[in-house]
Amino acid sequence: MRIALITPGGLGPTAGGGGIPVITRLAEMLAEDHCVTAFSLSRVEQPPELNIWHPDTQSVTRSSVLQALRALINEGRRTPFDVIHGFWSFPAGALAVVAAKLTGARSVVTLQGAETAAVPEIGYGDLLNRYHTMRSRLTCRAANAVVLLSHLQERAFHNAGFRARQTEVIPWGVPDSVFRYAPSVLSEPLQFVHVANLTEVKNQARMLRVFGQIAARRPAELTIVGPDHMQGRLQAITRELGLTDRVRFTGYLPQPAVAEAYRKAHFLLHTAYWESQGVAAIEAAMSGAVPCGTPTGCMADRDDACVTSDDDDELIEAILDVADDQTAYRAMLDTGRATAAAQDSTWNAATYVALYSRLLAAA
């Protein structure tokens, strides 16, 4: 099968931690058995061992999108693509749809982030912008298949009036070779970890307040992993809350070090406003930490393996209840691990191949 993958960027690691490991891993796994060309709409700093087209520009521009379209058409005319798959509805998803129509390929669009979100508190989400909503709807309607990352996102997709010829829920999986299961013994101080880019949509200020209330009642420590895009505001909040001796910021870490941080923790604490999936919860469950936080993304889908609430007081009490109950804690670990292992990165690639094959058979 000849497959084109289109992404705004994120293929391979970057110095600042800007890579998107799940997309890079999918491309590499597909390339083991299929002919894959990846098209990045911005420059790839450290290309993985893939056939990659990318422009010289560091960010996505109108010029880089048009260059990618020309490259896709030229490649497709030399050796036709069977499937063209874009990640995010715009511009990569729209480009996948246009290129597929021009070359006779099947088109797939995976909605990765803000397309079905509306968070007015911080002005986040395409649904807050009529133009962004319209272009996502048009892209999804024209694609042969639209992939969503959680059932929560699927409900948001339909509630927002999106339509598609075919929708599939295919959550990202992670490899157990990296996120090896080795849970820590549940004991005090309780160990919490948070893994994410430090951005407003992750609502880490709320996370720090929740952790502060837990730490006022139990010995507890929090490790925050991820590049800082908030200019030190979270560190300032940590000082204001008097938590500097309980909270550690590591900045960006490579995946093996992230996996080790999960294994040292008892709980992942994640209070995002919105997640299409929230891969950190899958990584934590695979490694041996119980995800806790707001019911968004996959954490809303897996309440038997996560501690969730929209109410801070309820969330805190629920976390402490699990921390006091070794049996309940172990049951959540086992359930989370089983689900994550059943839908790991190998399953993820195989599920995409099955989708591509069905689309080709129906052509």
Side-chain angles (χ1 to χ4, degrees):
M1 196 182 306
R2 184 153 158 75
I3 304 164
L5 303 177
I6 311 174
T7 176
L11 291 170
T14 65
I20 307 171
V22 288
I23 295 180
T24 302
R25 191 177 299 117
L26 173 65
E28 290 172 337
M29 296 184 77
L30 291 175
E32 291 176 4
D33 298 307
H34 304 278
C35 182
V36 174
T37 302
F39 292 81
S40 174
L41 303 182
S42 58
R43 187 171 65 232
V44 178
E45 294 181 14
Q46 301 176 47
E49 293 185 5
L50 288 168
N51 183 19
I52 296 180
W53 178 94
H54 63 98
D56 291 331
T57 54
Q58 193 163 7
S59 58
V60 180
T61 65
R62 180 178 297 180
S63 174
S64 71
V65 173
L66 292 175
Q67 289 177 51
L69 178 59
R70 285 194 293 269
L72 274 159
I73 292 172
N74 290 336
E75 284 265 345
R77 284 174 177 167
R78 280 196 295 268
T79 309
F81 289 109
D82 296 301
V83 175
I84 302 179
H85 185 169
F87 297 89
W88 285 273
S89 68
F90 189 87
L95 182 57
V97 167
V98 171
K101 288 189 178 297
L102 292 173
T103 61
R106 303 289 91 190
S107 58
V108 177
V109 176
T110 295
L111 302 189
Q112 284 283 126
E115 297 97 337
T116 55
V119 186
E121 296 93 329
I122 57 171
Y124 175 86
D126 285 0
L127 297 183
L128 299 177
N129 183 298
R130 186 176 300 176
Y131 169 68
H132 292 172
T133 301
M134 179 184 68
R135 73 188 184 190
S136 290
R137 282 177 176 163
L138 290 173
T139 296
C140 292
R141 192 175 300 167
N144 292 108
V146 173
V147 174
L148 303 155
L149 304 179
S150 65
H151 293 289
L152 177 78
Q153 188 192 25
E154 182 184 36
R155 291 192 293 274
F157 178 87
H158 293 298
N159 289 342
F162 283 76
R163 297 291 179 267
R165 301 182 204 181
Q166 179 177 340
T167 59
E168 300 270 346
V169 175
I170 306 177
W172 288 112
V174 300
D176 62 3
S177 58
V178 176
F179 298 96
R180 177 177 49 82
Y181 188 62
S184 295
V185 175
L186 184 58
S187 61
E188 293 183 345
L190 298 175
Q191 296 294 330
F192 291 83
V193 68
H194 175 79
V195 178
N197 291 329
L198 306 191
T199 59
E200 281 195 295
V201 73
K202 303 300 183 183
N203 204 1
Q204 284 122 344
R206 180 181 186 180
M207 177 198 65
L208 286 167
R209 292 193 297 271
V210 167
F211 173 75
Q213 293 183 60
I214 292 172
R217 296 170 59 178
R218 301 289 175 83
E221 297 172 350
L222 169 64
T223 299
I224 298 176
V225 179
D228 186 359
H229 300 285
M230 296 185 68
Q231 293 74 49
R233 278 183 282 165
L234 294 172
Q235 291 85 341
I237 292 171
T238 301
R239 290 191 294 272
E240 291 168 10
L241 294 172
L243 295 173
T244 52
D245 60 336
R246 303 284 191 95
V247 177
R248 181 171 70 101
F249 292 84
T250 71
Y252 165 75
L253 292 177
Q255 283 219 305
V258 172
E260 188 60 29
Y262 287 127
R263 286 190 285 270
K264 290 179 179 178
H266 303 118
F267 299 98
L268 169 77
L269 190 55
H270 195 76
T271 57
Y273 283 110
W274 169 259
E275 292 283 2
S276 297
Q277 179 182 356
V279 175
I282 308 301
E283 294 172 343
M286 184 73 97
S287 304
V290 172
C292 306
T294 46
T296 186
C298 66
M299 288 173 64
D301 293 350
R302 300 175 178 179
D303 56 3
D304 57 343
C306 304
V307 180
T308 61
S309 177
D310 275 320
D311 180 85
D312 287 358
D313 291 336
E314 288 182 4
L315 177 62
I316 291 162
E317 292 303 325
I319 292 171
L320 293 177
D321 285 347
V322 173
D324 288 337
D325 188 337
Q326 291 273 359
T327 301
Y329 177 75
R330 190 72 202 196
M332 297 189 87
L333 283 178
D334 291 344
T335 301
R337 163 65 181 182
T339 303
Q343 296 183 342
D344 65 359
S345 53
T346 300
W347 170 89
N348 187 253
T351 304
Y352 269 117
V353 169
L355 171 61
Y356 300 158
S357 298
R358 289 196 301 273
L359 292 176
L360 292 173

